[in-house]
Amino acid sequence: MTKEDTVKLISAEGFEFVIDKEAAMVSQTIHNMLTSPGSFAETEHGEVTFPEISTTILEKICQYFYWHLQFASGKETEFTIEPELTLELMMAANYLHT
Amino acid sequence: MSAQRKRTFQIEAFKHRVVVDPKYAEKTWKILEHAIHEIYNCNASGLSFEELYRNAYNMVLHKFGEKLYSGLVTTMTYHLKEISKSIESAQGELFLEELNKKWADHNKALQMIRDILMYMDRTFIPSTHKTPVHDLGLNLWSDVVIHSSKSQARLLDTLLELVHRERDGEVINRGLMRNIIKMLMDLGSSVYQDDFEKHFLHDSADFYHLESQQFIESCDCGDYLKKAEGRLNEEMERVSHYLDARSEAKITNVVEKEMIENHMHILVHMENSGLVNMLVHDKYEDLGRMYNLFHRVPAGLAIVREVMTLYVRDTGKQLVTDPERLRDPVDFVQRLLDLKDKFNKIISLAFNNDKTFQNALNSSFEYFINLNARSPEFISLFVDDKLRRGLRVVGEEDVEVVLVKVMMLFRYLQEKDVFEKYYKQHLAKRLLSGKTVSDDAERSLLVKLKTECGYQFTSKLEGMFTDMKTSEDTVQGFYACDAVELGDSPVLAVQVLTTGSWPSQPSATCNLPAEILGVCEKFRGYYLGTHTGRRLSWQTNMGTADLKATFGKGQKHELNVSTYQMCVLMLFNNTDRLTCKEIEQATQIPISDLKRCLQSLACVKGKNVLRKEPMSKDIADGDTFFFNDKFTSKLFKVKIGTVVAQRESEPENLETRQRVEEDRKPQIEAAIVRIMKSRRTLDHNNIVAEVTTQLQSRFLPNPVIIKKRIESLIEREFLERDKLDRKLYRYLA
């Protein structure tokens, strides 16, 4: 994994998740962010901060990205959602347009 | 456990809502407004996308979407006004460039803003049916910048001026043009059409209107067409380079209308260079160009066709009615063929083999060929000429080609039965004098006629060929037969002709010399022995003879003469001088034929086997003839014939005509009876129409004659008139 095709997602608590760009693009919001013509700070440094998303949620979201890629390529793996995460997960999903 | 969890949840949510108060909305909006400013000032690098996105997201989520939206509109409008001012202030040439640059900037900024406000676009706008961000940006741009009072007119003028300059030959910045036009297209097709295209088309129309006037006055037709074509291509190229593809059809219409349609008539009828001139001088390139250009314009080709038809008809009519031409039938037909060839070439090379033109050509030919009543005769003479001598001059394949072309002319004839009559006569003469050079060519033409007109037409002609073959066999049999004693009698070559097939000639009287008579009777005996129930009569006006003659200084020559001439010459075996009257009495040949025969024996230079006193061209009764001892000739065999097919003299022509008319009567009657038998009752007009249709492959019947035939049939009780309706006829079984 070279520097070029990864992004760093930073949670509210400061945890850094390094994932492939391809995975991150599953989120429409992140996709727009990274392909926007303007020279925003995010594209410059290759990292995005989410001050309103907690670590656990962000971690679950990253897992979702990878599951989505796998599912799209034909593999039907499982994705479990713990009930107590549901509300926050939904709100984050809405925010990220996933 | 779960209850506690729930409570914790609720507290958090409650916390969220409390924080959101009007001030929060105002604060958030300020952040976003600032960001938009920065974006427009190309200063966006320091901003955090996520932060802005989050802010916009929160505003919409907390029902402040309306504020966000209206705020956006205001800010954008403000910025665009600034931009508009700066564009307006641009000087001269830089106007377009400035516009272009600002447009690119605006697009970039718009996209960034849209990305930030994506959430609003997704949720708020569909539910409130407002314009999405991107479209909003475009609309604002067109309203504020393009339609600003100063810029709108200036933009249009600049664009049109550039187009003008390019038309004058200058090189302009096409890339810039393309971008600007694309901008207009992006703003919506109505913007493109209203702000630019409409004016462009109008302006171009004026331009070409003027230019075409100038050209018409200064150029001739060919040059004008070249220029028009050039302009047309130029406009198409212009469209492909920097205009909307859909404009192509519109602008080409404009050019076509102004340059071509408005001046069609003038161009075609232009003196010394118009269509007629081009046709006369075979200017294929110009004609092709004219065809292509006029093809685009409605009714364009109709004019070309009309003028061409008129020209062909006039030329044809002149050819056909020119008294000079009528003296030489072969030349007459050759000219017709040349005319056809010329126009065929023009149509195939320049007019793209257009069927309508071909049809127009055909109808013109049909029109003027039938203007001259002697056309069928002439065509037959032409064929005769080719089949006699043609092969020696031209190769065999070329004769085939000529025959095909002649068939084309034949198809145009309306009076095909007249042609049949003449063809029979000429063919008979060819066969009997042995002058047809190629049997294959004759048969090939026969096959063509059969294909064209059916078996009936050629059955008699084929009969003639069959007779010739049978005669050969008969003569062989005659000589092989031992029962006949021939001894020293002259060698006889007989052709037995079936009366129905050959053109009927009144058999004239002629006293054959004794030697001939003897062998003729022997043949008659032989023939009637093998074929009972037939009658033979010698056709003395159609035969030929080969005589061996010894002249004064002992030169021997072989003379090829007609039967009449043979009779005359044989008389000189007994005496040296005879008067015309004496010859007439001795031979019993009809006087007009005799005179012709004597003329060819005595008055033709190089072939005067007889000497005449007085030495005039005409033969009078009292003229005296002497055997010409001093006759010389370079060749051993001398041909003195009179049996060449010639164009008929006037009285002969009238006679043939009458015979043809007579022949037509039974054909018309047969047609009438046929029709009435199947229809039972029919009224007058319909009968005439039906009869014409049935007979038109042979000739065009005259309605007056049809009426006469009907009356005749009524008299003979084949038909009857209806008691109540005078126009209705009934068939009587």
Side-chain angles (χ1 to χ4, degrees):
Chain A
M1 296 224 285
T2 59
K3 194 91 195 296
E4 287 312 310
D5 43 346
T6 58
V7 291
K8 207 190 288 184
L9 304 179
I10 307 174
S11 74
E13 287 90 18
F15 269 83
E16 299 180 353
F17 294 89
V18 179
I19 58 170
D20 294 315
K21 268 207 187 135
E22 198 188 340
M25 298 290 205
V26 174
S27 151
Q28 270 294 80
T29 314
I30 301 182
H31 170 85
N32 286 343
M33 203 183 295
L34 296 173
T35 53
S36 178
S39 49
F40 287 110
E42 282 81 3
T43 44
E44 298 273 307
H45 305 303
E47 43 180 70
V48 190
T49 331
F50 295 107
E52 290 196 358
I53 305 185
S54 69
T55 315
T56 27
I57 302 297
L58 194 53
E59 186 184 358
K60 205 70 191 170
I61 286 177
C62 291
Q63 285 173 1
Y64 174 77
F65 288 155
Y66 280 102
W67 175 85
H68 186 277
L69 290 182
Q70 283 183 345
F71 195 84
S73 65
K75 267 205 300 208
E76 293 205 15
T77 43
E78 280 198 6
F79 186 73
T80 48
I81 303 178
E82 290 79 12
E84 50 278 6
L85 298 177
T86 326
L87 180 58
E88 289 188 17
L89 199 55
M90 291 294 288
M91 291 190 50
N94 188 27
Y95 178 72
L96 291 174
H97 195 186
T98 308
Chain B
M1 204 62 164
S2 53
Q4 205 186 7
R5 265 254 157 79
K6 237 170 137 186
R7 250 185 290 127
T8 328
F9 245 138
Q10 274 182 340
I11 289 171
E12 273 185 8
F14 180 67
K15 220 167 159 188
H16 245 56
R17 223 177 279 140
V18 164
V19 167
V20 175
D21 59 352
K23 274 196 276 178
Y24 177 73
E26 207 38 53
K27 253 199 326 186
T28 325
W29 169 241
K30 273 284 171 261
I31 300 175
L32 284 170
E33 194 186 6
H34 172 78
I36 294 178
H37 279 304
E38 290 299 302
I39 290 175
Y40 266 106
N41 293 336
C42 304
N43 237 352
S45 49
L47 300 170
S48 158
F49 181 97
E50 193 276 326
E51 184 193 338
L52 298 167
Y53 181 80
R54 192 169 17 99
N55 281 325
Y57 174 83
N58 283 334
M59 275 192 83
V60 175
L61 204 60
H62 298 298
K63 315 271 184 264
F64 286 113
E66 187 60 47
K67 181 172 171 60
L68 178 59
Y69 192 84
S70 53
L72 172 67
V73 171
T74 332
T75 323
M76 219 188 247
T77 316
Y78 165 73
H79 272 283
L80 287 181
K81 284 217 169 74
E82 294 288 306
I83 292 178
S84 171
K85 275 202 210 101
S86 87
I87 290 177
E88 279 166 20
S89 62
Q91 298 291 339
E93 293 291 312
L94 297 172
F95 175 69
L96 277 187
E97 283 181 26
E98 186 68 18
L99 181 60
N100 190 28
K101 191 154 101 39
K102 290 290 181 218
W103 165 249
D105 286 346
H106 172 73
N107 267 340
K108 190 160 152 220
L110 189 58
Q111 194 160 353
M112 285 161 65
I113 294 175
R114 192 204 54 188
D115 286 340
I116 298 174
L117 300 179
M118 178 64 76
Y119 188 72
M120 180 179 76
D121 238 5
R122 264 196 306 148
T123 50
F124 177 70
I125 280 174
S127 62
T128 51
H129 302 291
K130 290 206 198 284
T131 346
V133 175
H134 184 79
D135 295 333
L136 175 67
L138 293 181
N139 287 350
L140 282 179
W141 173 269
S142 63
D143 287 338
V144 175
V145 178
I146 302 294
H147 290 157
S148 86
S149 50
K150 290 201 202 135
S151 297
Q152 185 172 20
R154 191 168 169 198
L155 174 62
L156 182 64
D157 288 338
T158 321
L159 289 175
L160 289 179
E161 197 205 315
L162 282 178
V163 171
H164 269 276
R165 294 229 295 254
E166 198 181 29
R167 285 200 183 123
D168 282 338
E170 267 185 58
V171 175
I172 62 167
N173 185 346
R174 281 186 160 181
L176 184 58
M177 286 290 282
R178 189 175 26 246
N179 285 343
I180 301 287
I181 301 287
K182 193 160 180 316
M183 171 186 79
L184 289 174
M185 292 202 296
D186 285 343
L187 289 175
S189 70
S190 63
V191 175
Y192 174 71
Q193 277 171 3
D194 291 335
D195 277 349
F196 175 70
E197 198 184 39
K198 229 175 27 187
H199 302 276
F200 171 66
L201 291 174
H202 196 75
D203 179 71
S204 307
D206 289 336
F207 173 76
Y208 281 116
H209 193 76
L210 215 61
E211 192 175 77
S212 63
Q213 298 277 31
Q214 284 175 339
F215 282 171
I216 279 277
E217 278 154 27
S218 60
C219 312
D220 71 356
C221 186
D223 282 340
Y224 181 89
L225 289 176
K226 266 196 206 108
K227 286 210 165 87
E229 198 184 45
R231 278 295 186 206
L232 206 57
N233 287 341
E234 192 191 310
E235 287 302 323
M236 290 202 282
E237 201 213 12
R238 175 167 302 120
V239 170
S240 75
H241 270 139
Y242 55 77
L243 293 179
D244 184 13
R246 282 165 295 181
S247 301
E248 181 175 334
K250 295 182 197 163
I251 182 67
T252 44
N253 269 352
V254 166
V255 178
E256 285 157 13
K257 185 161 177 304
E258 293 302 325
M259 291 211 94
I260 300 174
E261 195 173 345
N262 287 351
H263 301 285
M264 269 193 315
H265 287 271
I266 304 179
L267 280 174
V268 165
H269 293 292
M270 215 184 248
E271 291 249 353
N272 294 333
S273 65
L275 180 60
V276 173
N277 175 282
M278 287 186 201
L279 288 173
V280 168
H281 295 290
D282 289 333
K283 291 194 177 148
Y284 297 123
E285 202 189 304
D286 286 339
L287 285 169
R289 194 171 296 122
M290 183 181 262
Y291 179 80
N292 283 336
L293 287 175
F294 278 55
H295 192 60
R296 294 162 167 267
V297 174
L301 285 186
I303 292 194
V304 179
R305 203 168 31 239
E306 218 180 278
V307 173
M308 184 188 92
T309 311
L310 222 64
Y311 172 71
V312 172
R313 282 189 187 211
D314 279 341
T315 322
K317 196 161 157 194
Q318 271 182 357
L319 262 184
V320 160
T321 49
D322 182 0
E324 275 294 314
R325 298 269 155 263
L326 295 182
R327 296 227 190 106
D328 183 354
V330 177
D331 181 59
F332 171 87
V333 176
Q334 188 61 48
R335 277 171 188 274
L336 287 179
L337 287 178
D338 290 340
L339 188 65
K340 185 105 204 326
D341 276 342
K342 175 190 166 97
F343 274 92
N344 273 349
K345 201 159 167 211
I346 289 182
I347 291 182
S348 72
L349 281 183
F351 292 160
N352 208 22
N353 275 327
D354 190 325
K355 276 244 169 331
T356 51
F357 280 84
Q358 196 65 35
N359 288 346
L361 185 66
N362 286 345
S363 75
S364 311
F365 262 80
E366 203 173 310
Y367 163 75
F368 66 71
I369 278 190
N370 290 308
L371 280 182
N372 184 350
R374 300 189 76 162
S375 296
E377 186 194 341
F378 288 174
I379 295 180
S380 179
L381 282 170
F382 181 79
V383 175
D384 180 73
D385 177 76
K386 284 283 169 277
L387 288 173
R388 269 174 195 273
R389 292 180 305 154
L391 277 185
R392 271 185 243 129
V393 180
V394 182
E396 179 144 340
E397 278 138 25
D398 290 332
V399 172
E400 183 68 22
V401 167
V402 170
L403 289 180
V404 169
K405 288 190 193 164
V406 170
M407 281 310 293
M408 268 197 315
L409 286 183
F410 172 74
R411 271 184 214 116
Y412 295 135
L413 287 175
Q414 274 171 352
E415 303 200 298
K416 297 190 170 72
D417 57 345
V418 176
F419 175 83
E420 187 194 356
K421 216 171 199 55
Y422 283 111
Y423 189 71
K424 253 196 339 193
Q425 283 176 3
H426 299 152
L427 179 63
K429 290 197 181 128
R430 279 204 298 281
L431 287 175
L432 292 177
S433 56
K435 287 228 173 67
T436 165
V437 190
S438 159
D439 221 28
D440 286 337
E442 296 271 3
R443 288 202 182 271
S444 138
L445 185 57
L446 218 57
V447 167
K448 290 186 180 50
L449 285 171
K450 188 147 83 171
T451 328
E452 188 65 30
C453 299
Y455 172 67
Q456 240 190 352
F457 197 85
T458 52
S459 61
K460 299 205 178 120
L461 302 173
E462 286 183 354
M464 287 157 81
F465 277 98
T466 326
D467 280 345
M468 297 295 290
K469 197 100 210 336
T470 336
S471 306
E472 259 180 50
D473 296 336
T474 314
V475 172
Q476 272 182 353
F478 175 60
Y479 277 107
C481 182
D482 287 332
V484 185
E485 288 165 16
L486 294 165
D488 281 332
S489 34
V491 177
L492 196 64
V494 184
Q495 276 104 23
V496 184
L497 313 176
T498 316
T499 317
S501 305
W502 297 75
S504 45
Q505 306 262 5
S507 167
T509 51
C510 175
N511 285 346
L512 295 168
E515 303 96 324
I516 308 294
L517 217 49
V519 71
C520 287
E521 288 307 310
K522 288 211 177 90
F523 180 82
R524 189 198 288 272
Y526 166 77
Y527 188 80
L528 292 175
T530 44
H531 300 92
T532 48
R534 294 191 185 180
R535 202 168 47 168
L536 285 180
S537 47
W538 296 105
Q539 301 284 311
T540 44
N541 53 346
M542 299 210 274
T544 56
D546 286 334
L547 298 175
K548 285 210 181 70
T550 320
F551 292 93
K553 298 211 186 90
Q555 324 108 291
K556 289 199 176 35
H557 286 284
E558 197 174 290
L559 306 172
N560 176 282
V561 295
S562 72
T563 310
Y564 286 162
Q565 288 163 341
M566 172 195 70
C567 299
V568 171
L569 287 176
M570 295 291 274
L571 292 175
F572 284 90
N573 269 347
N574 304 326
T575 80
D576 267 340
R577 59 162 283 178
L578 288 165
T579 61
C580 180
K581 205 99 186 106
E582 286 169 348
I583 299 178
E584 190 191 348
Q585 277 176 342
T587 59
Q588 294 289 305
I589 297 174
I591 190 67
S592 54
D593 291 328
L594 182 62
K595 286 200 174 152
R596 246 200 310 204
C597 163
L598 288 171
Q599 262 180 335
S600 57
L601 285 173
C603 305
V604 180
K605 235 178 161 218
K607 303 210 174 140
N608 48 343
V609 195
L610 294 181
R611 216 169 10 101
K612 178 166 101 70
E613 271 172 24
M615 291 277 285
S616 54
K617 269 248 160 185
D618 298 319
I619 314 275
D621 281 343
D623 288 353
T624 330
F625 290 88
F626 299 89
F627 183 72
N628 187 3
D629 274 339
K630 299 195 190 63
F631 172 77
T632 53
S633 167
K634 285 190 215 132
L635 307 162
F636 177 63
K637 288 194 189 174
V638 182
K639 220 164 68 95
I640 312 178
T642 41
V643 207
V644 184
Q646 280 166 352
R647 66 185 280 283
E648 288 181 329
S649 56
E650 282 306 312
E652 283 180 338
N653 191 5
L654 281 172
E655 209 190 304
T656 316
R657 271 265 141 206
Q658 270 177 343
R659 261 186 267 153
V660 170
E661 290 297 328
E662 282 300 316
D663 281 343
R664 284 180 182 175
K665 286 191 188 150
Q667 290 182 45
I668 298 179
E669 290 187 352
I672 297 176
V673 172
R674 249 199 319 270
I675 293 166
M676 290 304 294
K677 198 164 176 183
S678 66
R679 302 292 200 92
R680 293 282 141 184
T681 48
L682 205 58
D683 72 295
H684 183 83
N685 287 337
N686 278 337
I687 290 191
V688 173
E690 289 274 345
V691 168
T692 315
T693 325
Q694 275 204 11
L695 293 175
Q696 73 185 15
S697 61
R698 280 183 63 82
F699 62 90
L700 216 57
N702 187 337
V704 175
I705 300 200
I706 296 178
K707 190 159 197 287
K708 283 219 183 77
R709 293 294 99 216
I710 294 179
E711 316 254 305
S712 157
L713 284 172
I714 292 176
E715 269 175 37
R716 285 184 274 156
E717 298 191 357
F718 279 93
L719 303 176
E720 70 170 0
R721 269 220 176 79
D722 189 67
K723 313 276 185 314
L724 301 165
D725 182 1
R726 292 286 296 171
K727 285 238 150 208
L728 205 58
Y729 302 104
R730 202 173 301 125
Y731 178 70
L732 294 173

